[in-house]
Amino acid sequence: MNIKPYAPKPVKIRFSPVFPKQSILEFQNRVKTMTHKYVAYCDFESYLRDLEFDPANPTFSYQHHKPMSYAYTVVSPDPHISTDVPVIYRGPDPHIHLVDAMIDLVHRISMRYQIGQKIRISEEDGIAFAKTTRCQLCEEEFTEDNPKCRDHDHQYITPNRSNYRMALCSKCNREYRHPKSLICVFHNLSKYDLHFIVKALNGRKNNIEIIPSTEETYISLTLHTGNNFKIRFIDSYRFLAGSLDNLVRKLP
């Protein structure tokens, strides 16, 4: 019996004659371009504690990582929140103490938000605002439905200084706002330091959001502290894949 080899028929690609009105890909989430003004860089120090030998168990843990201290520094243009020197703690339960310190720091940051404060604009900025005809974010012209607004900073007050930022359309002005959060950056957080943070959250009533990588490692963790504020723990190793020693050596 002769069997002919299978020869699939060629497939013709057909394009739909109907295209969407907006056929250009454009970056929309412009709020992500803002520089976050409250960032804490943290680190734990731990030691290896020997565990008792269990002859009945063929596989057992013989050492345990136990935190003994931490240090953090806050980088912020707000002089009331930034730290000139690192904050160092040595004592019992440093992981619990650090979470309490970060929650207290968020409460201090929340006091720096001045909702409904008046716009203070200099004469030079006022002239530039009057001459602006397009939104300085989306670059669209101002209209009656989307009028021009004076965008200003709500985060903190610098006495006798302008808090005006730029001329925005009404839509961008509503969206262009700082997230109410404190960013806590650890190097190699997901594989090491986050285990201490998770243990410190045991028994707390705060809402927690976790982005997992595996069952034991997490990409990030967000702790909600109330009043729409939150603490985000992120891993700098995901952005700078190298040891701290090598990264420091590359600094000018």
Side-chain angles (χ1 to χ4, degrees):
M1 182 174 61
N2 295 327
I3 300 177
K4 294 182 179 180
Y6 173 73
K9 295 181 180 180
V11 178
K12 183 179 181 180
I13 301 175
R14 295 181 179 179
F15 293 96
S16 172
V18 180
F19 288 92
K21 294 181 180 180
Q22 184 67 23
S23 59
I24 300 175
L25 293 176
E26 182 182 1
F27 180 72
Q28 297 289 340
N29 203 353
R30 296 178 178 86
V31 69
K32 299 296 185 181
T33 64
M34 301 183 75
T35 301
H36 205 290
K37 293 186 177 179
Y38 298 101
V39 181
Y41 295 91
C42 316
D43 188 29
F44 282 112
E45 290 297 332
S46 61
Y47 67 95
L48 290 174
R49 184 179 65 179
D50 293 332
L51 302 178
E52 294 183 2
F53 174 71
D54 185 5
N57 190 356
T59 59
F60 63 93
S61 299
Y62 65 95
Q63 287 181 326
H64 176 70
H65 288 260
K66 186 175 179 60
M68 62 180 182
S69 64
Y70 71 77
Y72 74 84
T73 184
V74 181
V75 178
S76 172
D78 186 348
H80 296 270
I81 301 298
S82 64
T83 54
D84 296 329
V85 295
V87 178
I88 300 175
Y89 170 82
R90 300 184 182 93
D93 300 324
H95 54 308
I96 298 176
H97 195 279
L98 175 65
V99 172
D100 290 336
M102 293 298 102
I103 292 177
D104 179 69
L105 184 60
V106 166
H107 290 326
R108 289 171 52 202
I109 293 173
S110 67
M111 300 299 294
R112 307 298 296 161
Y113 279 75
Q114 302 294 324
I115 306 302
Q117 65 167 296
K118 294 182 180 180
I119 302 175
R120 301 188 305 276
I121 183 171
S122 64
E123 182 178 355
E124 182 180 356
D125 289 335
I127 296 174
F129 174 81
K131 293 181 179 179
T132 305
T133 59
R134 291 179 176 270
C135 176
Q136 293 182 270
L137 270 185
C138 67
E139 298 183 354
E140 296 289 335
E141 290 186 355
F142 301 116
T143 62
E144 293 184 0
D145 297 331
N146 197 21
K148 179 166 56 172
C149 301
R150 294 178 177 87
D151 177 58
H152 65 290
D153 195 348
H154 287 272
Q155 267 196 300
Y156 62 92
I157 296 177
T158 304
N160 302 322
R161 295 186 64 179
S162 172
N163 61 357
Y164 168 80
R165 291 190 295 205
M166 67 183 88
L168 299 182
C169 65
S170 179
K171 179 182 178 181
C172 289
N173 188 43
R174 291 192 301 268
E175 297 176 353
Y176 197 67
R177 61 181 64 183
H178 282 283
K180 295 182 178 181
S181 62
L182 168 67
I183 306 297
C184 293
V185 182
F186 287 79
H187 200 64
N188 204 21
L189 169 76
S190 58
K191 294 184 179 180
Y192 192 79
D193 300 277
L194 195 57
H195 293 84
F196 300 142
I197 299 295
V198 171
K199 290 181 179 179
L201 298 178
N202 183 32
R204 296 179 184 267
K205 298 181 179 181
N206 306 76
N207 292 330
I208 299 172
E209 297 176 8
I210 294 177
I211 301 178
S213 177
T214 66
E215 292 183 357
E216 296 183 355
T217 60
Y218 311 120
I219 296 175
S220 69
L221 184 147
T222 302
L223 175 67
H224 294 265
T225 60
N227 196 23
N228 294 324
F229 278 81
K230 57 188 177 183
I231 304 173
R232 288 188 58 214
F233 297 92
I234 64 174
D235 188 355
S236 59
Y237 188 81
R238 293 185 175 271
F239 308 97
L240 303 169
S243 67
L244 283 177
D245 181 60
N246 289 334
L247 295 174
V248 170
R249 291 175 185 273
K250 294 179 181 179
L251 291 175

